[in-house]
Amino acid sequence: MEKEDLKVLNKGEEEEMELQGYRLCRWRLALVGLGVLCTGGFLLLLLYWMPEWCVKSTCTRTTARDAEVVLMRSTDEFRRWFLARVRVMLAPGSNPFHSLETQTTSPSSPSSPSCPFSSPASPPLANGHTSHPSDGSPAQELIRRYADYQPTQIRYFTFHSTKYYWNDEMQNFEVLNGMEDLQVSCSTLHSEHSAGLTRNQQEYRRLFFGVNEIAVKVPSVFKLLIKEVLNPFYIFQLFSVILWSADEYYYYAVAIVFMSVISIATSLYTIKKQYIMLHDMVAAHSIVRVSVCRANNEIEEILSTDLVPGDVMVIPSNGTIMPCDAVLVSGTCIVNESMLTGESVPVTKTNLPNPVPGERGEETDSAYNTEEHKRHTLFCGTNVIQTRFYTGELVKAVVVRTGFSTAKGQLVRSILYPKPTDFKLYRDAYLFLLCLVAVAGIGFVYSIVLSVMNKVPAKTIIIESLDIITITVPPALPAAMTAGIVYAQRRLKRIGIFCISPQRINICGQINLVCFDKTGTLTEDGLDLWGVQRVENGSFHLSEENAYKENLVKSQFVACMATCHSLTKIEGQLSGDPLDLKMFEATGWILEEATEEETSLHNRIMPTVVRPPKQLLPPEPAASTEQDMELYELSSAYEIGIVRQFPFSSALQRMTVVARLLGEKRMDAYTKGAPEVVVSLCKKETVPENFAEVLESYTKQGFRVIALAHRRLESKLNWHKVQNISRDHIEANMEFLGLIIMQNKLKAETPGVLQDLHGAHIRTVMVTGDNMLTAISVARDCGMIPPQDTVIIADALPPHNGQAAKITWRYADKPSKISRLEEVNISLEDVCHVDEQKTQELYHFAMNGKSFAVIEEHFPDMLQKLVLHGTVFARMAPDQKTQLIEALQGVDYFVGMCGDGANDCGALKRAHGGISLSELEASVASPFTSRTPNISCVPSLIREGRAALITSFCVFKFMALYSIIQYISVTLLYSILSNLGDFQFLFIDIAIILLIVFTMSLNPAWKELVSRRPPSGLISGPLLFSVLTQILICLGFQTITFLWVRQQPWYTVWTPLTDVCNRSSHINVSDDNDTEVDDHNIQNFENTSLFYVSCFQYLIVAIVFSKGKPFRQPSYKNWPFVLSAICLYIFLLFIMFHPVEGIDEFLEIVCVPFEWRVKLFLIIVVNAAVSVLVETFILDIILWKLVFSRDKHGSFGVTPAAPTRQGGIDLRAYKCLSRLCCPRKTPKARYMHLAQELSVDPDWPPKPTTTTEAKPRPENGSTYQIMINS
């Protein structure tokens, strides 16, 4: 039963979870209650931390259908547990899309699947719960109104602001998103859903979809406090404080309470502030008054919170902030989507196409999908600047999603419930703490055994043995760990990089590959028009500098440039896509948005008109041939009205407009887009034969090339037909007009930054939506691909007519002359291990988005090999950019992504460190946002990340050593039934540790990027070696001190009457301390000697661990740290060589002879010398270079840039040395492992003109066949 009733929620999505149903069990609850009483509430805490234990101990398993509680577990690598209470509500129906009036049982759309959410057999529960906060209970009201209905029980639970309803048909819980659940086609949306809903339907749907509001509740301080205080760490601190109070260590207990209160208060303030900021960001414009169309053609004004999917909303002409996601069914809107995309360029949204049944376009009547039809969808939170409408028609939109289901809602949810950051550092930190706890356990047993042997009272045994545990796990650790990140965040802010996810700063220190968007990131945002190359009668003219000429003013080429764009006037200023703007400005034409009266001239066409300036028009129409007269019916006013726009789509890589010359009967279609795409839509005879060569000559030089095409439409196509015709119907049989050549200049900083990254062995990859050859050219220009390297283009074709998918390899710029034929079978299982890196020229793979999709689907194992050397990925759709990042992460790269925010949102969020160059300070999509609009922020972020990471290591190592040094002191003192005094603990913890920890984190980042990378986790060779050697050194010197003091000729067991310093006046003073001494035996020679030595040890390890170069500035530049260390050294030496009575009494230290102080000083000096020698000489110089550097080396043959000849010699030398030091082992990172395999593969890289075919995959591995064609 366990297995069969394991349901999977959100299958295949990011939030996929396994779900099990449970029912409350009374006797189990009673047992748990008893356990809670017996453990003094500790069991309750344990169940709070472990949801799965909580459910399993209080409930019994049942089917998901009958569950009262559901237990969920995420299927990602974190495998987190969640629980939710199942509630029941009563509703007059079971499906929100059913019509109540006709009491239908089938949904309103014939194509939609029925989804009954009822569960009539379920027992009625007391908490008939509804989500609607309005008057009374709307469910009851609706049920009264429809008395004939059998009220249905709907079971649901809420998790992460999303409601999951039980669906009887699917036998699972599922989310109701909105209109998309109906799988409704575009034509059905127009015909059946554009009239609006009745009030009853709206109320009924609201029961299911809830209030249209993205409610970010700001939790009360009390709630946050409870959540924060119940953190295991603070519970441990509470336990420590109670223990210390029982042992009369009041001052130390108060100090820890004070530290915890400050820590909790800071944490609460930060969390509360973030909630308030998010609440304010969401609440702004979340509730507005909107007009909706009712089913009886009335228009009613309601609050936006009452909107439900299916409502028809009227968009006001002066614009609005969208309160939901809605699809335009009539009219056009100009929208600013910067809140979602970070791109402030206004976007034109057109109405959803309405394919007329029976016409050729019928097959394009696809189901409505927000992603596919985003050019027709208005997203929640975006700003509608202005609307365009036809005479007498309203601009209407059908609400498709509300509340947290909207695009903005999903964004807010991702901020409210982020995925935990999986980083080796944090996992290792827990392991490290467990090791400390294990060490504490040894001390715990040791102290119990010792105390029992010495017949110590039971109370003292319990307190002292538990005290060992509180010493070993340092209470200031979390505060110390976050200090370095907070300082790094402050430094980043100073250089104009804003961070919304501080934990990622550390991860940025590990980045070893950065993906860059091209346009606006590597190159300038604006394109300049370099020239045009027109085509007439199937052949190219010579290229011309511009099209601003009298003889071209009435040509179709210029008409296409002037009309085929999505520009609009906002407050008298032309605005829109920068490329469109440059192209339109090059014509010198004027754009006018006509008034309603003028619109009637154009038979109600969309009111945008373009016309040439008067000076370009000839004074009077010249006589012309008959054909020309037919093409252009010249009138005194030469102007073109734009009738319909098919906006630019990155999936289709083109845009089209239908326009009409004033006075003409027939309309014209103009298309512009990627040359390869536009040519495929044109008649063969209109495309010049040398098209491919001409295009290649431009793209190789790095120009951005756009092709234009035109078509006269049939006279039967009137305005109404054009509004509903499908795109494919118009974009066919076109005439090729020519090319526009745009220049996209590299940003001045680009080559230098890429050179710095290559120097640091950080790979760079270009991911762009632009043409392949243009991208390769830019990659060569900016130094991403060195001039001598080969570029191999992978062209993949999907399976076709029974043929398997295949990849054709061709070399860019280097046509090959191989003429033999051979067949090779490669089986990935048979690859032998590398022994020596084979010498070969360096190569880079390039591919476009289509090939990437085919390879990902049909050659998944080949994809991993390709991303190892893939440098250029062109024509990539936004989701493909995200898939590429995932593929790179799949071979263990730490990936950075730098883009301008527009179509890079997914990739920026998915990468380990995403930097948006958008000017909007809070580009919510990206963890980092740079104010500097160029890529110089990338090395800065990596440098700061490395500094923060090394700081975290330093702090962690220091805190571990601090607890171990104190543990050693206490354990040694326990052997003589002594301990450190209250004020000694206080002095060590407050004056030394806190001061040092918070100042040692202040070292700024090193000035330049070096090729060495910091370790990614604490459990790594160098760090373990460093910590263990320092522990042994400290243990050694403390043990020597402890044993040596007992060998001194003057040594006796100390009593208040002891006077080894010959200071008889002290005897009276010490009398007061008799009781104290009897109780704890603090004052003795062993305690004083160990106190001095251990205090110096804390400072020694702080200095030894506080490393500078190559990741941070040297410590001597960190003046607060240097000052703190010097002051503490002076103070400690002063009280050691010149005892001050008041200080000695306060710290409970006793007077020792001068010669012993000199010996202690010698012990300290030797200790310092040994620590420095081991850490800097043995670890940094010998072991780092010979042993530990092997898995940190750039890339085992995956060279990010062409290495120099010297680099090759160094590589061989390092290999020989590392072989002497340690036997060869397989590298940990998968990309290194793959590179090793490929370096001995004789068929890698693929030869030019070869073809790789996919074969049916056998069970044990994948096989493909390479055929080399002559």
Side-chain angles (χ1 to χ4, degrees), residues 51 408 603 625 731 735 1227:
K408 184 180 177 183
N603 184 14
T625 64
E731 295 172 335
E735 286 176 24

Side-chain angles (χ1 to χ4, degrees), residues 1043-1068:
L1043 297 174
W1044 200 12
V1045 70
R1046 308 185 79 163
Q1047 305 301 318
Q1048 297 305 306
W1050 46 264
Y1051 176 82
T1052 58
V1053 174
W1054 192 88
T1055 68
L1057 301 171
T1058 309
D1059 185 18
V1060 291
C1061 300
N1062 304 319
R1063 294 196 311 182
S1064 50
S1065 60
H1066 271 234
I1067 294 170
N1068 300 330

Side-chain angles (χ1 to χ4, degrees), residues 544-565:
E544 297 155 280
E545 209 168 300
N546 61 31
Y548 189 77
K549 294 176 181 166
E550 271 186 43
N551 62 331
L552 292 181
V553 72
K554 291 186 179 180
S555 68
Q556 294 291 11
F557 189 88
V558 170
C560 186
M561 284 176 74
T563 55
C564 198
H565 53 71

